[in-house]
Amino acid sequence: MVQINFALKEVNCKIVFYGPGMSGKTTNLEIVHQKAPEENKGELTSISTDGDRTLFFDFMPLDLGNVAGMRTKFQLYTVPGQVYYNSTRKLVLQGVDGVIFVADSDAEKLQENIESYENLIENLAEYGKDIRELPHVIQYNKRDHPNAMPVDELDRTLNRFGVPTFEAVAVTGEGVFPTLKVLAGMVLESIDRMDNRRSSASRPAPRAEARAQAAPRAEAPAQSAPAAAPAAGGKRGQAPARPAGSPARRPVAPRGQAGPRPVAQRPSPSRVASSAARRRGGAAHADADQTRGTRTGGGRGVFVAVLSTLFLAAAVAGVVFFVMQNQQG
Amino acid sequence: MSDPGKMSANERLRHDRLTFYKEDIERIDRLLAEFLRLSGAKCALLIDKEGHLVTRRGEVRTIDMDTISALVAGSFAATKEMARLLGENEFTALYHQGTRDNIQLSLVGDRTLLTILFDDRTTVGMVRLYANETARKLSEIYGEANSRTTPDPQLDRDYGNSARRKLENLFD
């Protein structure tokens, strides 16, 4: 939960690195700690086992500095990835403002990635949070692994909500900062957007109008954040894979109806063609229905005509019968 | 807790974020200073459950505030899980005893932790006595802040753009 402290003039946000065991969450944090400027970082604290496996969490504060008069700080946490530690993992997620899901690209770890992502969704749900409303990104780590799965395949399996994804080799530092930068941007965007939304709902008309004019300005840079990340590279281990359009501008779509997908995840031309064909087929179907409808209307007319003729014939026959009876009489 | 889906924008904001205002913090600071005077403790920190410092009073020069806040919140969260296993909702007070310094934690309201650091210049009994009284008064301040109907102050309009510029500088 974002804490805004107008007395200390501080904004505090909580970002959590989540993912299966040994996927590189702590390594990500260590790299951030190594490479962040001295004046921006605090101490890296780990609560780990003797074997350096995370027991509770790793923690490090990252200070963005003075932002429009407010000192803005990110508290970065990792969770223990091992299945056994779910209760502690869930505790670290309390009040989270953004999640970086660190997936292991190794083909043999695919199932663990899937289970961990499912576990993230479940644990968030226990705090009443919907993952679709929480800023989050996916990092495909260990891209230098000989058994690394193709990114497209990982995307299809893991990226269910079309969030930005990044390729990384955390141990060398590649992809670590681009991932954090985009996620941090999404978190700050959500704070800013929430403020704008509230202002337009609660302020007197003239001021609300002023904020409404400001809103597009607030959204525009959301595009620039991912765009500013290095261009997507097909090279193995290349940093930011696919910033996926504008994460902040992407409307949150219900499950199964994800909003605009990242370019790489949009349907292939053949799929587009086939869906267009389906649409055309649908139209043709409607035409046929309409035609059938018209024909059905015509048949009803013929039926009425035949019935009228029969009625007339019966009437004529009745008259003839009546005349003949009179003549005989 | 009310259904987030049916909240107004202001209610939603209070549900999704924790905001502290200058006048409330000034009252809290006065309360903490009085607590330190009465109890003889070294330092009082108010920390939210997510591990962010809200305010502090007393001797704090040598302590890394960010780290101790995160660890206190983590420690409290872990005991909450223990309480749940025992059939309790959560423990409302914790005590860590050291050879020289000690920590007493008290839950205040449902979102913050009053953290007292003290040494042998006072006793745990004195600290607990006044900590309970202070926690009760803090709850009253929170209640008054929550029932306030005046519009909340907001972040500067340029916050979003400024934050993005800072991110560019930090990560490039």
Side-chain angles (χ1 to χ4, degrees):
Chain A
M1 180 186 304
V2 175
Q3 190 214 81
I4 300 181
N5 193 321
F6 287 102
L8 294 179
K9 294 195 180 301
E10 278 188 4
V11 174
N12 284 292
C13 321
K14 182 174 182 176
I15 290 177
V16 173
F17 289 82
Y18 207 93
M22 302 293 282
S23 65
K25 302 174 290 297
T26 301
T27 309
N28 261 273
L29 202 58
E30 284 169 350
I31 292 292
V32 174
H33 189 252
Q34 276 173 29
K35 297 194 172 176
E38 206 60 48
E39 64 273 18
N40 294 93
K41 66 185 177 191
E43 207 174 313
L44 174 62
T45 306
S46 290
I47 306 180
S48 52
T49 64
D50 288 343
D52 267 356
R53 300 295 302 273
T54 306
L55 179 63
F56 197 167
F57 59 76
D58 308 302
F59 165 78
M60 124 173 214
L62 186 67
D63 192 343
L64 194 57
N66 188 320
V67 178
M70 301 292 277
R71 187 179 174 193
T72 299
K73 293 196 286 186
F74 297 103
Q75 318 287 0
L76 308 180
Y77 289 79
T78 68
V79 296
Q82 298 166 81
V83 176
Y84 178 75
Y85 292 126
N86 189 48
S87 56
T88 47
R89 196 161 42 240
K90 195 166 70 186
L91 293 177
V92 178
L93 269 187
Q94 176 173 314
V96 66
D97 299 306
V99 170
I100 294 173
F101 184 85
V102 183
D104 191 328
S105 297
D106 188 340
E108 289 180 10
K109 298 293 177 100
L110 181 63
Q111 193 53 36
E112 284 181 44
N113 289 328
I114 294 169
E115 283 169 12
S116 179
Y117 196 72
E118 281 295 326
N119 176 254
L120 169 64
I121 294 171
E122 284 166 19
N123 282 341
L124 285 172
E126 290 203 27
Y127 287 118
K129 278 185 189 279
D130 186 334
I131 194 168
R132 292 165 296 184
E133 293 174 6
L134 181 76
H136 76 287
V137 299
I138 300 176
Q139 181 189 80
Y140 300 131
N141 193 21
K142 305 190 184 182
R143 295 306 303 158
D144 59 340
H145 197 287
N147 199 25
M149 284 175 71
V151 167
D152 287 351
E153 217 169 305
L154 284 165
D155 260 343
R156 275 196 298 277
T157 320
L158 277 177
N159 193 4
R160 291 163 47 182
F161 304 108
V163 298
T165 61
F166 299 86
E167 291 183 54
V169 184
V171 75
T172 66
E174 285 184 53
V176 170
F177 269 30
T179 310
L180 180 57
K181 178 182 172 184
V182 169
L183 192 268
M186 289 165 75
V187 170
L188 295 176
E189 180 69 25
S190 73
I191 297 172
D192 200 34
R193 207 171 39 219
M194 201 184 279
D195 238 47
N196 283 336
R197 196 167 55 210
R198 179 189 54 161
S199 69
S200 58
S202 65
R203 287 192 167 194
R207 295 184 73 183
E209 198 177 318
R211 293 295 278 185
Q213 284 166 357
R217 184 172 54 99
E219 277 198 355
Q223 272 179 314
S224 70
K235 290 181 203 164
R236 173 167 294 181
Q238 193 75 18
R242 53 217 71 220
S246 167
R249 291 187 62 190
R250 178 184 302 116
V252 177
R255 186 174 296 189
Q257 297 176 25
R261 304 273 289 182
V263 175
Q265 294 156 2
R266 284 196 182 124
S268 63
S270 60
R271 281 188 198 162
V272 172
S274 64
S275 63
R278 268 200 304 279
R279 282 197 299 275
R280 279 200 301 274
H285 215 62
D287 289 346
D289 283 346
Q290 210 171 4
T291 312
R292 251 197 321 276
T294 313
R295 279 181 193 149
T296 311
R300 202 180 295 128
V302 170
F303 177 74
V304 170
V306 168
L307 207 65
S308 309
T309 308
L310 283 173
F311 181 76
L312 272 172
V316 170
V319 170
V320 169
F321 180 73
F322 180 73
V323 170
M324 283 175 69
Q325 285 284 323
N326 281 346
Q327 280 176 350
Q328 280 172 4
Chain B
M1 194 175 286
S2 54
D3 179 4
K6 295 176 183 169
M7 293 175 182
S8 70
N10 260 333
E11 285 171 334
R12 175 86 205 182
L13 206 66
R14 284 182 181 176
H15 177 265
D16 287 345
R17 63 163 73 159
L18 200 51
T19 308
F20 293 95
Y21 304 109
K22 200 161 179 285
E23 58 272 30
D24 296 324
I25 295 290
E26 283 168 358
R27 286 178 68 191
I28 291 170
D29 282 347
R30 282 197 296 274
L31 202 57
L32 295 183
E34 178 67 3
F35 162 77
L36 291 178
R37 191 184 66 77
L38 291 169
S39 68
K42 283 202 310 187
C43 172
L45 314 172
L46 197 62
I47 294 166
D48 72 20
K49 274 188 175 177
E50 281 72 49
H52 307 136
L53 180 72
V54 177
T55 188
R56 63 192 181 203
R57 273 290 169 270
E59 304 168 28
V60 292
R61 279 180 302 236
T62 58
I63 305 170
D64 177 346
M65 282 300 140
D66 288 325
T67 304
I68 196 138
S69 301
L71 292 173
V72 160
S75 165
F76 187 83
T79 60
K80 181 173 181 177
E81 198 61 14
M82 282 189 257
R84 194 184 59 79
L85 291 172
L86 294 177
E88 287 279 332
N89 183 28
E90 59 192 345
F91 295 127
T92 53
L94 296 177
Y95 173 52
H96 301 295
Q97 184 173 359
T99 52
R100 196 185 68 242
D101 291 305
N102 314 290
I103 297 180
Q104 159 81 24
L105 305 180
S106 306
L107 180 65
V108 181
D110 58 358
R111 287 183 168 187
T112 57
L113 302 164
L114 176 61
T115 307
I116 315 295
L117 277 65
F118 64 98
D119 56 20
D120 55 9
R121 283 178 287 178
T122 184
T123 63
V124 63
M126 286 285 278
V127 169
R128 280 188 183 165
L129 175 69
Y130 289 111
N132 288 341
E133 178 67 10
T134 306
R136 190 184 58 73
K137 288 179 181 169
L138 285 171
S139 292
E140 286 172 11
I141 294 177
Y142 292 173
E144 287 169 29
N146 281 336
S147 60
R148 210 174 283 148
T149 52
T150 49
D152 296 336
Q154 290 180 298
L155 293 171
D156 191 278
R157 274 192 198 178
D158 195 42
Y159 185 83
N161 286 332
S162 179
R164 277 179 285 274
R165 283 194 296 273
K166 287 280 183 182
L167 277 175
E168 292 291 332
N169 293 339
L170 178 61
F171 290 108
D172 288 336

